[in-house]
């Protein structure tokens, strides 16, 4: 369910944990233990996530609250940068010792379900240990795969177009809900001609945006068991992208690479770029302009193809304490005080109670909340297609190969062939 989307997704996802890299591999809180039960009946569960030091501090505060409500459940924590998290998780899962509860994302549900790692939490819902009521905009279905509840959302986000507002004003462009791709491309020309910079960083290697474009046209990036588009579809997408770079509508990829990790928008190479709405706080911290959120262009003026994405909490099938794990997840997604501590660190709170409990005071988070509210009110949100096992590898390939195309290292035909070759291998494994 990352920013300068051309700080590529790998960097985006790692950015959440970059600070933590200096802290060593893990941090623990609460009484220790190995996931067992002590003589007085106290249970210890292990909770792991990826993220930076700030996220760790927030989560540890929420765990302190949990301990007050459930003094017989102690939580041992482990947080790391994104890539290190999955390396360690894979080792633990392969060894039959994954954490009891852990942060997860849509691209990994089928993968780890197929490996028999994930606990179906449906039985805990039936037992009353976990409530799936009160979620916003259908998010309660986000972690369901083949009738099994494999993840519970903790926050939401959706794709948006982040814009440099003064640049758009200077170009006379005012994007509104329902604008089309033709409107968007005309806007890119105005920004280039009137503001003197590329209109967009270039959306050609943003998998989640291409997914929306496909969904607008009756397809999707993924089906439940593979890719939902053809080589001809991708050839058309990447051919248009290359032409837009040549025409100066999209930013020069070499220049974008030179200013990383700064984004092309804050580096004043482009007037906007597509990314997840809750990543937008970085632009204010990086740049000196005023930034805002604009709606996704459409094919027909109505259908955006959008959905609310989410980080989730999943549980290990090997946990000795499924009830306690379920109670922990329930607390983390429903308790209003948790929302006040976490804010929008993991996206806009997934449940209405937590959404109502945290009222942002800064303009960036207010804009994020307003943007997601506008999507609900506009009625454009749809269910997401569950990603197949291997989706994470396909996403990384799309990002890397798309960037190579932009840098001139590959022709369109070669890029398309390489992507499909790598994806078919990943999806078949």
């Amino acid at each position: 369910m990352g920013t300068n989307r051309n700080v590529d997704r790998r960097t985006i996802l790692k950015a959440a944990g970059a600070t933590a890299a200096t802290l060593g591999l893990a941090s623990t809180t609460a009484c220790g233990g190995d996931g067992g039960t002590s003589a007085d009946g106290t249970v210890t569960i292990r909770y792991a996530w990826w993220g930076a030091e700030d996220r760790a501090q927030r989560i540890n505060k929420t765990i302190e609250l949990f301990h007050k409500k459930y003094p017989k459940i102690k939580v041992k924590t482990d947080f790391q940068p994104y890539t290190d998290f999955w390396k360690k998780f894979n080792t633990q899962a392969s060894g039959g010792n994954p954490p009891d509860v852990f942060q997860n994302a849509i691209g990994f549900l089928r993968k780890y379900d197929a490996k028999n790692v994930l606990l179906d939490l449906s039985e805990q819902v039936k037992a009353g240990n976990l409530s799936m009521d009160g979620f916003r905009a259908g998010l309660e279905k986000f972690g369901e795969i083949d009738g099994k509840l494999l993840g519970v959302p903790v926050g939401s986000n959706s794709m948006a177009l982040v814009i440099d507002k003064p640049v758009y004003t200077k170009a006379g462009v005012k994007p509104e809900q329902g604008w089309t791709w033709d409107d968007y491309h005309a806007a890119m020309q105005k920004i280039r001609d009137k503001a003197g910079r590329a209109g967009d960083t270039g959306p050609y290697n943003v998998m989640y945006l291409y997914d929306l474009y496909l969904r607008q046209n009756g397809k999707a990036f993924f089906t439940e068991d593979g890719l939902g588009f053809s080589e001809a579809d991708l050839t058309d997408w990447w051919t248009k992208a290359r032409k837009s770079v040549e025409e100066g509508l999209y930013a020069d990829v070499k220049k974008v690479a030179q200013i990383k990790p700064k984004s092309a928008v804050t580096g004043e190479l482009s007037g906007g770029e597509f990314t997840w709405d809750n990543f937008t706080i970085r632009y204010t911290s990086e740049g000196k302009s005023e930034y805002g959120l604009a709606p996704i262009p459409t094919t027909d003026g109505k259908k955006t193809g959008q959905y609310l994405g989410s980080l989730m909490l999943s549980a290990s099938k090997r946990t000795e304490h499924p009830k306690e794990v379920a109670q922990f997840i329930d607390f983390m997604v429903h308790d209003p005080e948790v929302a006040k501590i976490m804010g929008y660190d993991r996206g806009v709170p997934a449940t209405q109670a937590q959404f109502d409990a945290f009222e942002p005071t800064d303009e960036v988070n207010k804009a994020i909340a307003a943007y997601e509210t506008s999507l609900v009110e506009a009625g454009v949100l749809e269910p997401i297609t569950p990603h197949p096992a291997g989706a994470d590898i396909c996403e990384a390939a799309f990002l890397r190969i798309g960037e190579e195309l932009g840098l001139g290292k590959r022709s369109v035909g070669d890029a398309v062939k390489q992507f499909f070759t790598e994806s078919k291998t990943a999806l078949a494994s």
Side-chain angles (χ1 to χ4, degrees):
M1 61 284 254
T3 53
N4 171 350
R5 318 116 340 147
N6 290 331
V7 175
D8 60 19
R9 180 168 169 81
R10 289 163 292 182
T11 302
I12 293 164
L13 292 171
K14 284 191 285 185
T19 306
T22 64
L23 303 179
L25 287 180
S27 171
T28 59
T29 186
C31 297
D34 57 2
T37 303
S38 66
D40 66 354
T42 298
V43 165
T44 298
I45 61 175
R46 292 182 296 137
Y47 172 32
W49 70 91
W50 65 84
E53 181 182 4
D54 179 64
R55 177 175 294 177
Q57 292 174 347
R58 291 173 186 268
I59 287 179
N60 285 336
K61 288 179 181 178
T62 67
I63 290 173
E64 289 176 8
L65 290 180
F66 178 77
H67 286 156
K68 291 178 180 178
K69 184 172 182 179
Y70 293 95
K72 292 293 186 179
I73 306 174
K74 300 302 179 184
V75 182
K76 186 177 181 180
T77 69
D78 184 357
F79 80 99
Q80 298 167 64
Y82 179 81
T83 52
D84 291 341
F85 171 90
W86 287 112
K87 287 178 183 177
K88 183 172 183 178
F89 183 85
N90 285 330
T91 299
Q92 292 173 324
S94 297
N97 188 38
D100 297 276
V101 59
F102 54 94
Q103 189 169 285
N104 206 352
I106 188 70
F108 299 97
L109 290 185
R110 285 190 184 277
K111 176 177 181 176
Y112 288 108
D113 183 42
K115 293 178 181 291
N116 208 32
V117 173
L118 303 181
L119 177 68
D120 180 1
L121 290 161
S122 300
E123 291 303 313
Q124 295 303 318
V125 175
K126 293 177 183 177
N129 298 319
L130 171 63
S131 173
M132 294 305 293
D133 296 332
F135 282 82
R136 300 170 43 242
L139 280 169
E140 69 277 3
K141 300 291 185 181
F142 192 78
E144 289 187 5
I145 299 289
D146 301 330
K148 294 179 284 189
L149 180 61
L150 302 179
V152 180
V154 295
S156 70
N157 56 12
S158 191
M159 289 297 294
L161 175 61
V162 176
I163 64 172
D164 186 318
K165 293 171 74 173
V167 168
Y168 266 64
T169 299
K170 183 176 182 179
V173 176
K174 187 178 181 181
E176 296 179 339
Q177 190 73 43
W179 69 325
T180 66
W181 286 105
D182 288 340
D183 297 330
Y184 163 80
H185 285 292
M188 298 304 97
Q189 292 174 336
K190 289 182 179 179
I191 292 171
R192 178 197 62 190
D193 297 341
K194 296 183 178 181
R197 69 173 72 170
D200 193 283
T201 303
Y204 42 83
N205 64 346
V206 186
M207 186 195 85
Y208 289 97
L209 180 71
Y210 186 44
D211 183 35
L212 299 192
Y213 179 79
L214 290 167
R215 287 161 66 93
Q216 291 176 17
N217 289 279
K219 300 183 180 183
F221 198 99
F222 292 116
T223 64
E224 292 186 0
D225 56 5
L227 297 176
F229 60 99
S230 67
E231 291 189 20
D233 293 325
L234 185 55
T235 298
D236 179 65
W237 177 258
W238 273 343
T239 298
K240 291 177 178 176
R242 167 155 281 184
K243 182 179 180 182
S244 292
V245 172
E246 293 170 351
E247 294 176 346
L249 303 182
Y250 295 167
D252 183 322
V253 182
K254 293 179 181 178
K255 292 182 179 179
V256 173
Q258 290 171 356
I259 67 169
K260 287 182 179 180
K262 197 170 188 177
S263 79
V265 176
T266 57
E268 300 182 359
L269 295 178
S270 69
E273 60 188 28
F274 293 93
T275 187
W276 296 104
D277 58 16
N278 67 312
F279 289 155
T280 56
I281 193 167
R282 68 166 296 201
Y283 297 89
T284 299
S285 62
E286 274 187 6
K288 56 186 179 182
S289 189
E290 182 182 0
Y291 308 99
L293 293 168
I296 298 295
T298 68
T299 299
D300 61 2
K302 298 178 182 179
K303 183 181 176 68
T304 68
Q306 283 174 275
Y307 45 80
L308 291 183
S310 179
L311 288 177
M312 292 172 280
L313 295 181
S314 291
S316 165
K317 203 168 189 176
R318 288 180 173 267
T319 182
E320 298 176 2
H321 308 293
K323 175 182 177 180
E324 289 79 6
V325 164
Q327 290 173 323
F328 176 76
I329 294 174
D330 185 85
F331 180 84
M332 289 298 169
V333 300
H334 289 289
D335 190 274
E337 295 304 314
V338 169
K340 294 178 182 178
I341 294 171
M342 294 305 302
Y344 288 176
D345 178 81
R346 296 176 297 190
V348 178
T351 57
Q352 192 64 45
Q354 289 196 340
F355 180 84
D356 293 340
F358 175 72
E359 296 183 8
T361 56
D362 64 287
E363 294 305 314
V364 175
N365 281 319
K366 284 181 180 179
I368 294 170
Y371 178 74
E372 291 205 5
T373 299
S374 74
L375 298 181
V376 175
E377 293 175 347
V380 299
L381 295 174
E382 305 172 9
I384 185 175
T385 301
H387 294 190
D392 55 322
I393 299 174
C394 296
E395 179 184 354
F398 191 82
L399 173 69
R400 186 190 75 253
I401 295 168
E403 184 172 25
E404 291 170 353
L405 172 67
L407 289 169
K409 295 180 179 180
R410 292 183 184 273
S411 66
V412 171
D414 179 51
V416 171
K417 181 179 179 180
Q418 184 65 29
F419 172 75
F420 272 81
T421 297
E422 292 188 25
S423 295
K424 288 177 181 177
T425 299
L427 295 169
S429 61

